[in-house]
Structure formats: C-alpha cells, structure tokens
Amino acid sequence: MSEIVANGVRLHVQHLNPVPASARAKPPVVFLHGLGMDNMASFYYTVAGAVAKTGAEAVLYDLRGHGDSERPRTGYTMEDSIADLGGLLDALDITVPVHLIGNSYGGTIALDFAVEYPHRVAGIVLIEAHFNVEGWAEQIAAERERVALVVAEMGEENLQAWIRRFGRKVVRMMDALSDLANHTSFYPDLTKARPIERDRLRALTCPIRAVYGERSDVPDYEKQLHDLLPHATLTVVPEVGHSVLMDATPQVREIVVDWLASQCAV
C-alpha cells in the first residue's frame, strides 16, 4: 500500500505488478470503485487479484473522500474526479493508454475521462455504470434521500445486527459515509455535474464491455447503452441487481479477465 498526492489530494493506492515507464508495453488496468461505503477493496477481493495473476499491471485507489484517501471538505465534482485520475496516472508516470474498469460511479468517471482524454484510454469495462447525461444529477439527489431514509430507519437494534454480522468495520465505514455526506460538499458537488453531450459519448471509439444486473436500479441501462454506446458489448447477469460485482463475482471476474486477454491479443 502507498499514498500518492494527485491533483493536490492524498490518495491511497495499490499498484500491482508495476512496470517502469520505459518498459511498459501493455496498457495498465485501472480500477475505479463506486460511491458511499465503497472503496478499492471491493475490486481488490473480487477482480483485481485475478487480473494481476495474468501478469497485467493493475492500479487500484480509493477515490477522494473514500477508504483511506484524504477526505477534503470540498472538491467532489466530476471534474475533480477526472483530474484526480489524470493526476494519479501522471504521478505513476503512466503515459500510455490504460484500460479502465469502473463499477457504478467508477464507470461514470471512466466514461467522462474517456470523453475528455480519449488518447489516454485503451478500453473500458462498465459494471453497473451510470451515464452522466441529462437527469443524472437528479438521480444522485434522489439517491441521497433514499440513503438518508435507510440510515434514519435503521435504529439501534438493526445497527447491532449489522455489527454482529459484519463487524465493527462496517460501523466505521458508515461513520465515514456520514462524515462525507454531512460535512463535505460531496452531494452538492455531485448534483452540479455538467452532463456530457450525447454525441461526445457516441463518438468514443475505444472498445467497451458492459455488465449489468437483470434487476439493475440503473434506469433504462440497455436502452441507454444502445443509444449512447452502440458498439459496446453487453452482458446482463440474471437474478442480481446493482451489486452485481459482489453478488456475481465469479461471472464478472471471468468477463473482465477474458475481455482484457482479448484486447491484448488484438
């Protein structure tokens, strides 16, 4: 584990199979986790290890405000997330195009980054990713209200049940989420997201693999994929929802590893 300052923020980073810039021949793989109680561990214990075992260079990091990365009081716009990713790649001296594997909001970052810096992206895997188009900010606002309601209704009895099931680590994660949600500009910044022009998404030429749960809470994902990323290859995993990464780990892991192998063979 290491810490790297990127875009002025201290980020907690795991760099697997690092390659010197002068010897780097294949695209590194960068993992981008989701929001809230998520952090790099969700990828580290599901997909990233299998990717690293193939010999691929892999980079995982906690987004600002998450995990063990710095939690500044401000700076949670999409532009900040894009700048953090670019700054991290610069700090690691990664100048070749990378593969981005993004879960939920991590997929949103991946798409926005690819739109802004297409020359830095070799390919993208979207796992339950939201699209930063018209209406996305309203979805974020609605999600904040839903999370607040769940927390308010949890009660001491349910909280203790969570502790017994998952341990004190979950409580610490909930405390971190509460601080992020209530004492930073996290949600206000997210709801200020400037939508991507749809034609810019359609203009992406890098290979895109998409994985969604059959019971996904990402509205109209299949319709949006067909409209915005018509050349993307989609897999719908049956009987799971938004947490497909955790609920269908073996299938998602196989999809990611096989897709990366196919890209290296091109």
Side-chain angles (χ1 to χ4, degrees):
M1 298 287 185
S2 62
E3 294 182 345
I4 292 175
V5 176
N7 191 32
V9 176
R10 176 183 52 77
L11 299 177
H12 184 226
V13 180
Q14 177 77 41
H15 194 179
L16 308 175
N17 302 330
V19 178
S22 60
R24 191 173 281 123
K26 297 180 180 180
V29 183
V30 182
F31 292 87
L32 301 160
H33 67 77
L35 293 177
M37 291 176 64
D38 204 0
N39 56 53
M40 74 161 76
S42 62
F43 269 126
Y44 187 86
Y45 292 108
T46 56
V47 177
V51 169
K53 285 182 180 179
T54 69
E57 182 179 11
V59 177
L60 305 91
Y61 70 102
D62 290 331
L63 302 179
R64 67 162 64 201
H66 294 71
D68 291 327
S69 286
E70 184 179 354
R71 190 179 306 135
R73 299 296 95 178
T74 60
Y76 295 92
T77 66
M78 177 57 71
E79 289 78 11
D80 292 312
S81 295
I82 292 173
D84 289 351
L85 174 55
L88 176 61
L89 296 179
D90 292 342
L92 294 174
D93 200 17
I94 296 177
T95 57
V96 299
V98 300
H99 290 304
L100 298 175
I101 316 293
N103 181 41
S104 191
Y105 179 70
T108 311
I109 296 173
L111 285 172
D112 280 53
F113 187 83
V115 166
E116 292 297 326
Y117 304 104
H119 62 286
R120 302 197 75 170
V121 179
I124 303 173
V125 176
L126 303 174
I127 304 171
E128 280 290 310
H130 299 258
F131 295 87
N132 180 17
V133 293
E134 298 87 352
W136 182 74
E138 288 76 12
Q139 293 177 35
I140 290 294
E143 177 67 9
R144 179 184 186 183
E145 296 302 320
R146 187 187 70 82
V147 171
L149 182 62
V150 169
V151 172
E153 293 180 346
M154 175 169 284
E156 183 63 24
E157 182 177 346
N158 287 332
L159 177 59
Q160 293 303 319
W162 270 53
I163 293 173
R164 289 192 297 272
R165 183 177 180 185
F166 298 109
R168 291 283 175 182
K169 182 178 181 180
V170 170
V171 178
R172 292 195 296 271
M173 292 171 67
M174 290 179 65
D175 288 342
L177 174 59
S178 176
D179 183 54
L180 182 66
N182 298 315
H183 300 108
T184 75
S185 62
F186 178 64
Y187 277 118
D189 283 354
L190 288 176
T191 56
K192 295 175 184 175
R194 183 174 66 252
I196 298 176
E197 295 177 9
R198 291 173 180 263
D199 286 345
R200 297 188 72 190
L201 277 172
R202 296 186 185 108
L204 287 176
T205 59
C206 65
I208 298 176
R209 189 73 168 85
V211 184
Y212 287 82
E214 181 184 33
R215 299 173 179 171
S216 173
D217 61 357
V218 178
D220 301 320
Y221 64 86
E222 194 165 4
K223 180 180 178 182
Q224 287 189 326
L225 271 171
H226 180 73
D227 176 40
L228 301 174
L229 304 170
H231 65 288
T233 301
L234 169 66
T235 294
V236 177
V237 182
E239 302 299 320
V240 296
H242 189 59
S243 56
V244 60
L245 176 62
M246 306 306 295
D247 293 339
T249 296
Q251 187 168 349
V252 175
R253 182 166 52 228
E254 181 179 8
I255 288 171
V256 172
V257 171
D258 289 351
W259 183 82
L260 289 171
S262 71
Q263 296 307 302
C264 292
V266 174

